[in-house]
Coordinates of all heavy atoms in Angstrom, one line a residue:
M1 N 0.9 -1.1 0.0 CA 0.0 0.0 0.0 C 0.9 1.2 0.0 O 1.8 1.3 0.8 CB -0.9 -0.1 1.2 CG -1.6 1.2 1.6 SD -2.9 1.8 0.6 CE -4.1 0.5 0.7
T2 N 0.7 2.1 -0.9 CA 1.4 3.4 -1.0 C 1.0 4.3 0.1 O -0.2 4.6 0.3 CB 1.3 4.0 -2.4 OG1 1.7 3.1 -3.3 CG2 2.0 5.3 -2.5
I3 N 2.0 4.9 0.8 CA 1.7 6.0 1.8 C 2.0 7.3 1.0 O 3.1 7.6 0.6 CB 2.7 5.9 3.0 CG1 2.6 4.6 3.6 CG2 2.2 7.0 4.0 CD1 3.8 4.4 4.6
P4 N 0.9 8.1 0.6 CA 1.1 9.3 -0.2 C 2.0 10.3 0.4 O 2.2 10.3 1.6 CB -0.3 9.8 -0.4 CG -1.2 9.1 0.6 CD -0.5 7.9 1.1
V5 N 2.5 11.2 -0.4 CA 3.2 12.3 0.1 C 2.4 13.3 0.9 O 1.2 13.3 0.8 CB 3.9 13.1 -1.1 CG1 4.9 12.2 -1.8 CG2 2.9 13.7 -2.0
A6 N 3.1 14.1 1.8 CA 2.4 15.1 2.6 C 1.9 16.2 1.6 O 2.5 16.5 0.7 CB 3.3 15.7 3.6
S7 N 0.8 16.8 2.0 CA 0.2 17.9 1.2 C -0.6 18.8 2.0 O -1.3 18.4 3.0 CB -0.7 17.2 0.1 OG -1.3 18.2 -0.7
G8 N -0.5 20.1 1.8 CA -1.3 21.1 2.4 C -1.0 21.2 4.0 O -1.9 21.6 4.7
G9 N 0.2 20.8 4.3 CA 0.6 20.8 5.7 C 0.1 19.6 6.5 O 0.3 19.6 7.7
Y10 N -0.5 18.6 5.9 CA -0.9 17.4 6.5 C -0.1 16.2 5.9 O 0.2 16.2 4.7 CB -2.4 17.1 6.2 CG -3.3 18.2 6.8 CD1 -3.7 19.2 6.1 CD2 -3.6 18.1 8.2 CE1 -4.6 20.2 6.6 CE2 -4.4 19.1 8.8 CZ -4.9 20.1 8.0 OH -5.7 21.1 8.5
P11 N 0.2 15.2 6.8 CA 1.0 14.1 6.4 C 0.1 13.2 5.5 O -1.1 13.2 5.6 CB 1.4 13.3 7.6 CG 0.3 13.8 8.7 CD 0.0 15.2 8.2
G12 N 0.8 12.5 4.6 CA 0.0 11.4 3.8 C -0.2 10.3 4.8 O 0.6 10.0 5.7
R13 N -1.4 9.6 4.6 CA -1.8 8.6 5.5 C -2.2 7.4 4.7 O -2.8 7.5 3.6 CB -2.9 9.0 6.4 CG -2.5 10.2 7.3 CD -3.7 10.7 8.1 NE -4.6 11.3 7.1 CZ -5.3 12.4 7.3 NH1 -5.1 13.1 8.4 NH2 -6.2 12.8 6.4
A14 N -2.0 6.2 5.3 CA -2.4 5.0 4.7 C -2.8 4.0 5.8 O -2.2 3.9 6.8 CB -1.4 4.4 3.7
A15 N -3.8 3.2 5.5 CA -4.2 2.0 6.3 C -4.3 0.8 5.5 O -4.8 0.9 4.3 CB -5.5 2.3 7.1
A16 N -3.9 -0.3 5.9 CA -4.0 -1.5 5.2 C -4.3 -2.8 6.1 O -4.1 -2.7 7.3 CB -2.7 -1.8 4.4
M17 N -4.8 -3.8 5.4 CA -5.1 -5.0 6.2 C -4.7 -6.2 5.5 O -4.7 -6.2 4.2 CB -6.7 -5.0 6.3 CG -7.3 -6.2 7.0 SD -9.1 -6.0 7.1 CE -9.6 -6.6 5.6
A18 N -4.3 -7.2 6.2 CA -4.0 -8.6 5.7 C -4.9 -9.6 6.3 O -5.1 -9.5 7.5 CB -2.6 -8.9 5.9
S19 N -5.5 -10.5 5.5 CA -6.5 -11.5 6.1 C -6.0 -12.9 5.9 O -5.3 -13.1 4.8 CB -7.8 -11.3 5.4 OG -8.4 -10.1 5.7
C20 N -6.4 -13.8 6.7 CA -6.1 -15.2 6.6 C -7.1 -15.8 5.5 O -8.2 -15.4 5.5 CB -6.2 -15.9 7.9 SG -4.9 -15.5 9.1
P21 N -6.6 -16.8 4.8 CA -7.6 -17.5 3.9 C -8.6 -18.3 4.7 O -8.4 -18.6 5.9 CB -6.6 -18.5 3.2 CG -5.2 -18.3 3.6 CD -5.2 -17.3 4.8
A22 N -9.7 -18.6 4.1 CA -10.8 -19.3 4.7 C -10.2 -20.6 5.3 O -9.4 -21.3 4.6 CB -11.9 -19.6 3.7
G23 N -10.7 -21.0 6.5 CA -10.2 -22.2 7.0 C -8.9 -22.1 7.9 O -8.5 -23.1 8.5
E24 N -8.3 -20.9 7.9 CA -7.1 -20.7 8.7 C -7.3 -19.7 9.8 O -8.3 -18.8 9.7 CB -6.0 -20.3 7.8 CG -5.5 -21.4 6.8 CD -4.2 -21.1 6.1 OE1 -3.5 -20.2 6.6 OE2 -3.9 -21.8 5.2
T25 N -6.6 -19.8 10.8 CA -6.7 -18.9 12.0 C -5.5 -18.0 12.1 O -4.4 -18.5 11.9 CB -6.8 -19.7 13.3 OG1 -8.0 -20.6 13.2 CG2 -6.9 -18.9 14.5
R26 N -5.7 -16.7 12.4 CA -4.7 -15.8 12.6 C -3.9 -16.1 13.9 O -4.6 -16.2 15.0 CB -5.2 -14.4 12.7 CG -4.2 -13.3 12.9 CD -4.7 -12.0 13.3 NE -5.4 -12.1 14.6 CZ -6.7 -11.8 14.8 NH1 -7.4 -11.3 13.9 NH2 -7.2 -12.0 16.0
T27 N -2.6 -16.2 13.8 CA -1.8 -16.5 15.1 C -0.9 -15.4 15.4 O -0.3 -15.4 16.4 CB -1.0 -17.8 14.8 OG1 -0.1 -17.6 13.7 CG2 -1.8 -19.0 14.6
G28 N -0.9 -14.4 14.5 CA 0.0 -13.2 14.8 C 0.0 -12.3 13.5 O -0.7 -12.6 12.5
G29 N 0.8 -11.4 13.5 CA 0.9 -10.5 12.3 C 1.9 -9.3 12.6 O 2.4 -9.2 13.7
G30 N 1.9 -8.4 11.7 CA 2.8 -7.2 11.9 C 2.7 -6.3 10.6 O 2.0 -6.5 9.7
A31 N 3.6 -5.4 10.7 CA 3.6 -4.4 9.5 C 5.0 -3.8 9.5 O 5.7 -3.8 10.5 CB 2.5 -3.3 9.7
S32 N 5.3 -3.3 8.3 CA 6.6 -2.5 8.2 C 6.4 -1.3 7.2 O 5.5 -1.4 6.4 CB 7.7 -3.4 7.7 OG 7.4 -3.8 6.3
V33 N 7.1 -0.3 7.4 CA 7.1 0.9 6.6 C 8.4 1.0 5.8 O 9.4 0.9 6.5 CB 6.8 2.2 7.4 CG1 7.0 3.4 6.6 CG2 5.4 2.2 8.0
I34 N 8.3 1.2 4.6 CA 9.5 1.4 3.8 C 9.6 2.8 3.2 O 8.7 3.3 2.6 CB 9.5 0.3 2.6 CG1 9.4 -1.1 3.1 CG2 10.7 0.5 1.7 CD1 9.1 -2.1 2.1
A35 N 10.7 3.4 3.5 CA 10.8 4.9 3.2 C 11.1 4.9 1.7 O 11.6 4.1 1.0 CB 12.0 5.4 3.9
G36 N 10.6 6.1 1.1 CA 10.8 6.4 -0.3 C 12.3 6.9 -0.4 O 13.1 6.6 0.4
N37 N 12.6 7.7 -1.3 CA 13.9 8.2 -1.5 C 14.2 9.4 -0.6 O 14.4 10.5 -1.0 CB 14.2 8.6 -3.0 CG 14.2 7.4 -3.9 OD1 14.6 6.4 -3.5 ND2 13.8 7.6 -5.1
S38 N 14.1 9.2 0.7 CA 14.1 10.3 1.7 C 14.6 9.8 3.0 O 15.1 8.7 3.1 CB 12.7 10.8 1.8 OG 12.7 12.0 2.7
H39 N 14.5 10.6 4.0 CA 14.9 10.2 5.4 C 13.9 9.3 6.0 O 12.7 9.6 5.9 CB 15.1 11.5 6.3 CG 16.0 12.4 5.7 ND1 17.4 12.3 5.8 CD2 15.9 13.6 4.9 CE1 18.0 13.2 5.2 NE2 17.2 14.1 4.7
A40 N 14.3 8.2 6.6 CA 13.5 7.2 7.2 C 12.5 7.8 8.2 O 11.4 7.3 8.4 CB 14.3 6.0 7.7
E41 N 13.1 8.8 9.0 CA 12.2 9.3 10.1 C 11.0 10.0 9.6 O 10.1 10.4 10.4 CB 13.1 10.2 11.0 CG 13.5 11.5 10.4 CD 14.8 11.4 9.6 OE1 15.4 10.3 9.4 OE2 15.3 12.4 9.2
R42 N 10.8 10.2 8.3 CA 9.6 10.9 7.8 C 8.4 9.9 7.7 O 7.3 10.3 7.3 CB 9.9 11.6 6.5 CG 10.9 12.7 6.7 CD 11.2 13.4 5.4 NE 12.1 14.5 5.6 CZ 12.6 15.3 4.7 NH1 12.3 15.1 3.4 NH2 13.5 16.2 5.0
Y43 N 8.7 8.6 7.7 CA 7.7 7.6 7.5 C 7.5 6.9 8.8 O 8.4 6.2 9.4 CB 8.2 6.6 6.4 CG 8.6 7.3 5.2 CD1 9.9 7.9 5.0 CD2 7.7 7.5 4.1 CE1 10.3 8.6 3.9 CE2 8.1 8.2 2.9 CZ 9.4 8.6 2.9 OH 9.7 9.3 1.7
L44 N 6.2 7.0 9.4 CA 6.0 6.5 10.7 C 4.9 5.4 10.7 O 3.9 5.5 10.0 CB 5.5 7.6 11.6 CG 6.5 8.8 11.8 CD1 5.8 9.9 12.5 CD2 7.8 8.3 12.4
L45 N 5.2 4.3 11.4 CA 4.2 3.3 11.6 C 3.5 3.6 12.9 O 4.1 3.6 14.0 CB 4.8 1.9 11.6 CG 3.9 0.7 11.9 CD1 2.8 0.6 10.8 CD2 4.7 -0.6 12.0
H46 N 2.3 4.0 12.9 CA 1.6 4.4 14.1 C 0.9 3.3 14.9 O 0.8 3.3 16.1 CB 0.5 5.5 13.8 CG 1.1 6.7 13.3 ND1 1.6 7.7 14.1 CD2 1.2 7.2 12.0 CE1 2.1 8.7 13.3 NE2 1.8 8.4 12.1
S47 N 0.3 2.3 14.2 CA -0.4 1.2 14.9 C -0.4 0.0 14.0 O -0.5 0.0 12.8 CB -1.9 1.7 15.1 OG -2.6 0.7 15.7
T48 N -0.2 -1.1 14.7 CA -0.4 -2.4 14.0 C -1.1 -3.4 15.1 O -0.5 -3.5 16.2 CB 1.0 -3.0 13.6 OG1 0.9 -4.3 13.1 CG2 2.1 -2.9 14.6
Q49 N -2.1 -4.0 14.7 CA -2.9 -4.8 15.6 C -3.8 -5.8 15.0 O -4.2 -5.6 13.8 CB -3.8 -3.9 16.5 CG -4.8 -3.0 15.7 CD -5.4 -1.9 16.5 OE1 -4.6 -1.2 17.2 NE2 -6.6 -1.6 16.4
P50 N -4.2 -6.8 15.7 CA -5.1 -7.8 15.2 C -6.6 -7.1 15.2 O -6.8 -6.3 16.0 CB -5.1 -8.9 16.2 CG -4.6 -8.3 17.4 CD -3.7 -7.2 17.1
I51 N -7.3 -7.6 14.2 CA -8.7 -7.1 14.1 C -9.6 -8.3 13.9 O -9.1 -9.4 13.5 CB -9.0 -6.0 13.0 CG1 -8.6 -6.5 11.7 CG2 -8.2 -4.7 13.4 CD1 -8.9 -5.5 10.5
S52 N -10.9 -8.1 14.0 CA -11.8 -9.3 13.9 C -11.7 -9.8 12.5 O -11.3 -9.2 11.5 CB -13.2 -8.9 14.2 OG -13.7 -7.8 13.3
G53 N -12.2 -11.1 12.4 CA -12.3 -11.7 11.1 C -11.0 -12.3 10.6 O -10.7 -12.4 9.5
E54 N -10.1 -12.7 11.6 CA -8.8 -13.3 11.3 C -7.9 -12.5 10.4 O -7.4 -12.8 9.4 CB -9.1 -14.7 10.6 CG -9.9 -15.7 11.4 CD -9.3 -16.0 12.8 OE1 -8.1 -15.9 13.0 OE2 -10.1 -16.3 13.6
A55 N -7.8 -11.2 10.8 CA -7.1 -10.2 10.0 C -6.1 -9.4 10.8 O -6.3 -9.4 12.1 CB -8.1 -9.3 9.2
W56 N -5.2 -8.7 10.2 CA -4.3 -7.8 10.9 C -4.4 -6.5 10.2 O -4.4 -6.4 9.0 CB -2.8 -8.4 10.8 CG -1.9 -7.8 11.8 CD1 -1.2 -6.7 11.7 CD2 -1.7 -8.3 13.2 NE1 -0.5 -6.4 12.9 CE2 -0.8 -7.4 13.8 CE3 -2.2 -9.4 13.8 CZ2 -0.4 -7.6 15.1 CZ3 -1.8 -9.6 15.2 CH2 -0.8 -8.7 15.8
W57 N -4.2 -5.4 10.9 CA -4.4 -4.0 10.4 C -3.3 -3.1 10.9 O -2.7 -3.3 11.9 CB -5.8 -3.5 11.0 CG -6.1 -2.0 10.6 CD1 -6.8 -1.6 9.5 CD2 -5.8 -0.9 11.4 NE1 -6.9 -0.3 9.5 CE2 -6.3 0.2 10.7 CE3 -5.1 -0.6 12.6 CZ2 -6.2 1.5 11.1 CZ3 -5.0 0.7 13.0 CH2 -5.5 1.7 12.2
A58 N -2.9 -2.1 10.0 CA -1.9 -1.2 10.3 C -2.2 0.2 9.7 O -2.9 0.3 8.7 CB -0.5 -1.7 9.8
F59 N -1.6 1.2 10.4 CA -1.8 2.6 9.9 C -0.4 3.3 10.0 O 0.3 3.1 10.9 CB -2.7 3.3 10.9 CG -2.9 4.8 10.6 CD1 -3.6 5.2 9.6 CD2 -2.2 5.8 11.4 CE1 -3.8 6.6 9.3 CE2 -2.3 7.1 11.1 CZ -3.0 7.5 10.1
A60 N -0.1 4.0 8.9 CA 1.2 4.7 8.8 C 1.0 6.1 8.2 O 0.0 6.4 7.6 CB 2.1 3.9 8.0
S61 N 2.0 7.0 8.4 CA 2.0 8.3 7.8 C 3.3 8.7 7.2 O 4.3 8.0 7.5 CB 1.6 9.4 8.9 OG 2.6 9.5 9.9
N62 N 3.3 9.7 6.4 CA 4.5 10.2 5.6 C 4.5 11.7 5.7 O 3.5 12.3 5.2 CB 4.4 9.7 4.2 CG 5.5 10.2 3.4 OD1 6.4 10.8 3.8 ND2 5.3 10.0 2.0
T63 N 5.6 12.3 6.2 CA 5.6 13.8 6.2 C 6.5 14.3 5.1 O 6.7 15.6 5.0 CB 6.2 14.3 7.6 OG1 7.5 13.7 7.8 CG2 5.3 13.9 8.8
D64 N 7.0 13.4 4.3 CA 7.8 13.9 3.1 C 6.9 14.5 2.1 O 5.8 13.9 1.7 CB 8.6 12.7 2.5 CG 9.6 13.1 1.5 OD1 9.3 13.9 0.6 OD2 10.8 12.7 1.5
T65 N 7.2 15.6 1.5 CA 6.4 16.3 0.5 C 6.7 15.9 -0.9 O 6.0 16.3 -1.9 CB 6.4 17.8 0.6 OG1 7.8 18.2 0.4 CG2 5.9 18.3 1.9
A66 N 7.7 15.0 -1.1 CA 8.1 14.7 -2.5 C 8.1 13.2 -2.7 O 8.0 12.8 -3.9 CB 9.5 15.2 -2.7
N67 N 8.3 12.3 -1.7 CA 8.5 10.9 -2.0 C 7.4 10.1 -1.2 O 7.4 10.2 0.1 CB 9.9 10.5 -1.5 CG 11.0 11.2 -2.3 OD1 11.1 10.9 -3.4 ND2 11.7 12.1 -1.6
P68 N 6.7 9.2 -1.9 CA 5.8 8.4 -1.2 C 6.5 7.2 -0.5 O 7.7 7.0 -0.8 CB 4.8 7.9 -2.2 CG 5.7 7.9 -3.5 CD 6.6 9.1 -3.3
G69 N 5.9 6.6 0.5 CA 6.6 5.4 1.1 C 5.6 4.2 0.8 O 4.7 4.3 0.1
T70 N 6.0 3.1 1.4 CA 5.2 1.9 1.3 C 4.9 1.3 2.7 O 5.7 1.2 3.5 CB 6.0 0.8 0.5 OG1 6.3 1.4 -0.7 CG2 5.2 -0.5 0.3
L71 N 3.6 0.9 2.9 CA 3.2 0.2 4.1 C 2.9 -1.3 3.7 O 2.1 -1.5 2.8 CB 1.9 0.8 4.6 CG 1.2 0.1 5.8 CD1 2.1 0.0 7.0 CD2 -0.2 0.8 6.1
K72 N 3.6 -2.2 4.4 CA 3.4 -3.6 4.2 C 2.8 -4.2 5.4 O 3.3 -4.1 6.5 CB 4.6 -4.3 3.8 CG 5.2 -3.9 2.4 CD 6.3 -4.8 2.0 CE 6.8 -4.4 0.6 NZ 7.7 -5.3 0.1
V73 N 1.7 -5.0 5.3 CA 1.0 -5.6 6.5 C 0.9 -7.1 6.2 O 0.7 -7.5 5.0 CB -0.5 -5.0 6.6 CG1 -1.1 -5.7 7.8 CG2 -0.4 -3.6 6.8
F74 N 1.1 -7.9 7.2 CA 1.0 -9.3 7.0 C 0.4 -10.0 8.2 O 0.4 -9.5 9.3 CB 2.4 -10.0 6.8 CG 3.4 -9.7 7.9 CD1 3.5 -10.6 9.0 CD2 4.2 -8.6 8.0 CE1 4.4 -10.4 10.0 CE2 5.1 -8.3 9.0 CZ 5.2 -9.2 10.0
A75 N -0.4 -11.0 7.9 CA -1.0 -11.9 9.0 C -0.3 -13.2 8.9 O -0.1 -13.7 7.9 CB -2.5 -12.0 8.7
I76 N 0.0 -13.7 10.1 CA 0.5 -15.1 10.2 C -0.7 -16.0 10.5 O -1.4 -15.9 11.4 CB 1.5 -15.2 11.4 CG1 2.7 -14.2 11.1 CG2 2.1 -16.6 11.5 CD1 3.6 -14.0 12.2
C77 N -0.8 -17.0 9.6 CA -2.0 -17.8 9.7 C -1.6 -19.3 9.8 O -0.6 -19.8 9.3 CB -2.9 -17.7 8.3 SG -3.2 -16.0 8.0
A78 N -2.5 -20.1 10.4 CA -2.2 -21.6 10.5 C -3.6 -22.3 10.3 O -4.6 -21.8 10.7 CB -1.6 -21.9 11.8
R79 N -3.5 -23.5 9.8 CA -4.7 -24.3 9.7 C -4.7 -25.0 11.0 O -3.8 -25.7 11.4 CB -4.6 -25.3 8.6 CG -5.8 -26.2 8.4 CD -5.8 -26.9 7.1 NE -5.7 -26.1 5.9 CZ -6.7 -25.4 5.3 NH1 -7.9 -25.5 5.8 NH2 -6.5 -24.8 4.3
V80 N -5.8 -24.8 11.8 CA -6.0 -25.4 13.1 C -6.8 -26.8 12.9 O -7.8 -26.8 12.2 CB -6.7 -24.5 14.0 CG1 -7.0 -25.2 15.4 CG2 -5.9 -23.2 14.2
V81 N -6.2 -27.8 13.5 CA -6.9 -29.1 13.4 C -7.4 -29.5 14.8 O -6.9 -29.1 15.8 CB -6.0 -30.2 12.9 CG1 -5.6 -29.9 11.4 CG2 -4.7 -30.4 13.7
S82 N -8.5 -30.3 14.8 CA -9.0 -30.8 16.0 C -8.0 -31.7 16.7 O -7.5 -32.6 16.0 CB -10.3 -31.4 15.8 OG -11.3 -30.5 15.3
T83 N -7.9 -31.6 18.0 CA -7.0 -32.6 18.6 C -7.9 -33.5 19.5 O -8.9 -33.0 20.0 CB -6.0 -31.9 19.5 OG1 -6.6 -31.0 20.4 CG2 -5.0 -31.1 18.7
P84 N -7.5 -34.7 19.6 CA -8.4 -35.6 20.5 C -8.3 -35.1 21.9 O -7.3 -34.6 22.4 CB -7.8 -37.0 20.2 CG -6.4 -36.8 19.8 CD -6.4 -35.4 19.1
V85 N -9.3 -35.4 22.7 CA -9.4 -35.2 24.1 C -8.6 -36.2 24.8 O -8.9 -37.4 24.6 CB -10.8 -35.1 24.6 CG1 -10.9 -34.9 26.1 CG2 -11.6 -34.0 23.9
L86 N -7.7 -35.9 25.7 CA -6.9 -36.9 26.4 C -7.7 -37.2 27.7 O -8.2 -36.3 28.4 CB -5.5 -36.3 26.7 CG -4.7 -36.0 25.5 CD1 -3.4 -35.3 26.0 CD2 -4.4 -37.2 24.7
T87 N -7.7 -38.5 28.0 CA -8.3 -38.9 29.3 C -7.3 -39.6 30.1 O -6.4 -40.2 29.6 CB -9.6 -39.8 29.0 OG1 -9.1 -40.9 28.2 CG2 -10.6 -39.1 28.2
T88 N -7.6 -39.6 31.4 CA -6.7 -40.3 32.3 C -7.1 -41.8 32.3 O -8.3 -42.1 32.5 CB -6.9 -39.7 33.8 OG1 -6.7 -38.3 33.7 CG2 -6.0 -40.4 34.7
P89 N -6.2 -42.7 32.2 CA -6.5 -44.1 32.3 C -7.1 -44.5 33.7 O -6.7 -43.9 34.7 CB -5.2 -44.9 32.1 CG -4.2 -43.8 31.7 CD -4.7 -42.5 32.1
I90 N -8.0 -45.5 33.6 CA -8.6 -45.9 34.8 C -7.7 -46.9 35.5 O -7.2 -47.9 34.8 CB -10.0 -46.5 34.5 CG1 -10.9 -45.5 33.9 CG2 -10.6 -47.2 35.8 CD1 -12.2 -46.1 33.4
S91 N -7.4 -46.8 36.8 CA -6.5 -47.7 37.4 C -7.4 -48.7 38.1 O -8.4 -48.4 38.6 CB -5.6 -47.0 38.4 OG -6.3 -46.3 39.3
T92 N -6.9 -49.9 38.2 CA -7.8 -51.0 38.9 C -7.1 -51.4 40.2 O -6.1 -51.1 40.6 CB -7.8 -52.3 38.1 OG1 -6.5 -52.7 37.6 CG2 -8.6 -52.0 36.8

């Protein structure tokens, strides 16, 4: 997801989401911001968190007026299988 350049005194902003495929459960996730051809401190990752629906969400901003950045979001997913219930053996 492109983080647009700052304009009119306001930073460029972007939000993005990554979702798990059907049948898989989100076990984690995260995000990263990649600077454009500028100083890295102009590109900020403000929030990265799980959201409902087995997805991960992130929000970032860019104060550079000439170079857009990139926001990458990922969800870590796993296929969860049923496990048998363990029982204690009966002693005689």
